[in-house]
Amino acid sequence: MAKITSVHDKFVRQMLSDHQAAVDYFSAALPAHIADKLDFSTLERQSGSYVSKELEKTVSDVVYTCRRKGDTGSVDVSLLLEHKSAPDKHTPIQVGGYLFSGYQQQIKQGRKQLTPIIPILLYHGRQKWEYWTLDRLFDELGDELLGYIPKFDYVYHNLRDLPEEAIRAVGNQFLVSALLLMKYASDKRKLKGLLPEILSIGLAQGSEGQQVGLVIYGFELVELTEEEIKEILDRLSSDIKDKVMSTYDLLIEKGRKEGVEKGIEKGAEQKSYEFVVKLLDAGKFTVAEIANYATVSEDFVKKVHADLAKKKK
């Protein structure tokens, strides 16, 4: 999969890399009449990109397969998540490209029976955005022409308009925290006030990898001064404060405000290298998690690991 540069895309992928979080997310996001037909105990993430090589550079797909309840054969359902932080009226074309590319991949894999794909569009932008189907991109088409326009539905999970109470009702507290961060990502002022509470929710129950991801995402969304960080820490319980501080120390060492995102400057690359070394030394994170936190490729992490191994010989 090509490197995903958006901070939101990276967080969504990291959020759903946890199996239980994925189960709880799809259970909450899918309409009840669909969710009730799926056996989430069989949910399995697809390795690699689900789409063709041609779409790899633009797709931020998260794909899981899941069996239908009561199925005795090999038929399952694919759940494809695409997320947007700003309205895009051409999204149906993008989703349609994912769908047909996914079906083409299934044909290439030699499947005798294709797996139905349920696309889910996760939206959390500031602007109002209604559900928009492909036929609405064409002006004044009569019935005789509409029949030639591909027709498909997708699940529209609109965090912007979803009441906060509905998000807080989700049982997985890490997921609650993650979705609240996304819901208010474009409202910096409100998020700054809610950040201590939101972090407390997720950090109380999430795994260490999830906790690191929440803090990194939350601090990236809201640019905080040292004094504001101190105020947030003072409002957290002592155990959660320690978790936030240890993660924040890593962020400082990484030098996120010194051009790491460019990734082409020698100084930025060195800071990324040093940050990866710190995470490897911690011995608590997988290669994929380190690549996500450090905003580097998995190959880069493996290279650093190899370099460290050579130095120890």
Side-chain angles (χ1 to χ4, degrees), residues 271-289:
K271 290 180 182 297
S272 292
Y273 187 99
E274 294 170 356
F275 185 55
V276 169
V277 170
K278 290 286 186 181
L279 293 175
L280 286 170
D281 286 343
K284 301 176 181 178
F285 309 108
T286 65
V287 170
E289 289 173 334

Side-chain angles (χ1 to χ4, degrees), residues 7 13 23 35 40 42 53 59 71 148 150 164 189 196 242-243 269 280 284 289:
V7 62
R13 292 176 63 80
V23 168
F40 287 108
T42 67
K53 293 293 183 182
V59 173
D71 276 346
Y148 294 95
E164 187 175 311
R189 180 176 298 181
D242 291 340
K243 295 176 183 177
E269 183 176 347
L280 286 170
K284 301 176 181 178
E289 289 173 334

Side-chain angles (χ1 to χ4, degrees), residues 89-151:
K89 70 176 184 179
H90 295 120
T91 293
I93 294 179
Q94 186 179 16
V95 172
Y98 296 169
L99 286 172
F100 288 107
S101 180
Y103 291 133
Q104 287 286 353
Q105 291 294 93
Q106 292 181 27
I107 293 173
K108 290 179 180 179
Q109 294 166 3
R111 298 194 187 187
K112 296 181 179 180
Q113 187 173 20
L114 297 184
T115 293
I117 302 172
I118 301 177
I120 302 171
L121 175 63
L122 171 61
Y123 176 64
H124 64 104
R126 178 187 293 272
Q127 296 173 266
K128 188 175 182 61
W129 188 17
E130 61 181 290
Y131 181 82
W132 193 270
T133 53
L134 183 60
D135 59 290
R136 295 180 64 179
L137 295 177
F138 300 85
D139 291 332
E140 300 179 358
L141 288 183
D143 292 341
E144 69 279 0
L145 293 179
L146 278 174
Y148 294 95
I149 306 300
K151 182 177 177 58

Side-chain angles (χ1 to χ4, degrees), residues 23-276:
V23 168
D24 294 333
Y25 173 76
F26 289 123
S27 299
L30 288 169
H33 68 279
I34 297 296
D36 290 345
K37 289 181 170 59
L38 301 180
D39 181 2
F40 287 108
S41 68
T42 67
L43 193 72
E44 182 178 352
R45 186 167 187 172
Q46 290 278 0
S47 59
S49 178
Y50 189 69
V51 298
S52 65
K53 293 293 183 182
E54 289 75 15
L55 285 178
E56 251 189 334
K57 294 181 180 179
T58 59
V59 173
S60 57
D61 61 316
V62 177
V63 182
Y64 277 84
T65 57
C66 185
R67 298 291 295 274
R68 291 184 288 187
K69 289 180 179 178
D71 276 346
T72 57
S74 59
V75 178
D76 54 13
V77 173
S78 293
L79 303 172
L80 184 150
L81 177 76
E82 173 62 17
H83 117 274
K84 296 282 186 182
S85 56
D88 179 0
K89 70 176 184 179
H90 295 120
T91 293
I93 294 179
Q94 186 179 16
V95 172
Y98 296 169
L99 286 172
F100 288 107
S101 180
Y103 291 133
Q104 287 286 353
Q105 291 294 93
Q106 292 181 27
I107 293 173
K108 290 179 180 179
Q109 294 166 3
R111 298 194 187 187
K112 296 181 179 180
Q113 187 173 20
L114 297 184
T115 293
I117 302 172
I118 301 177
I120 302 171
L121 175 63
L122 171 61
Y123 176 64
H124 64 104
R126 178 187 293 272
Q127 296 173 266
K128 188 175 182 61
W129 188 17
E130 61 181 290
Y131 181 82
W132 193 270
T133 53
L134 183 60
D135 59 290
R136 295 180 64 179
L137 295 177
F138 300 85
D139 291 332
E140 300 179 358
L141 288 183
D143 292 341
E144 69 279 0
L145 293 179
L146 278 174
Y148 294 95
I149 306 300
K151 182 177 177 58
F152 54 85
D153 293 321
Y154 57 90
V155 176
Y156 185 34
H157 192 206
N158 185 351
L159 289 183
R160 176 194 181 277
D161 296 336
L162 188 66
E164 187 175 311
E165 294 75 18
I167 295 177
R168 291 179 179 270
V170 175
N172 187 314
Q173 294 304 290
F174 161 74
L175 189 57
V176 169
S177 181
L179 294 178
L180 287 176
L181 284 178
M182 297 185 69
K183 178 177 176 64
Y184 297 118
S186 57
D187 190 343
K188 308 296 183 183
R189 180 176 298 181
K190 184 164 188 175
L191 181 57
K192 184 177 290 188
L194 290 174
L195 192 57
E197 180 193 1
I198 292 176
L199 290 179
S200 295
I201 293 172
L203 294 176
Q205 294 187 9
S207 67
E208 186 162 4
Q210 291 173 329
Q211 292 165 354
V212 171
L214 280 177
V215 175
I216 290 177
Y217 185 58
F219 282 10
E220 283 180 324
L221 292 178
V222 182
E223 295 183 3
L224 301 169
T225 65
E226 293 292 333
E227 184 61 30
E228 288 172 332
I229 291 173
K230 183 178 183 301
E231 291 177 3
I232 288 178
L233 292 175
D234 288 341
R235 293 164 62 183
L236 299 176
S237 62
S238 58
D239 59 329
I240 294 178
K241 182 188 298 186
D242 291 340
K243 295 176 183 177
V244 173
M245 276 305 302
S246 62
T247 302
Y248 182 66
D249 288 341
L250 291 176
L251 288 176
I252 293 297
E253 292 177 22
K254 184 188 176 189
R256 285 186 174 271
K257 297 181 179 180
E258 297 183 25
V260 174
E261 287 298 325
K262 296 180 180 179
I264 58 175
E265 298 177 3
K266 185 176 180 180
E269 183 176 347
Q270 180 60 31
K271 290 180 182 297
S272 292
Y273 187 99
E274 294 170 356
F275 185 55
V276 169

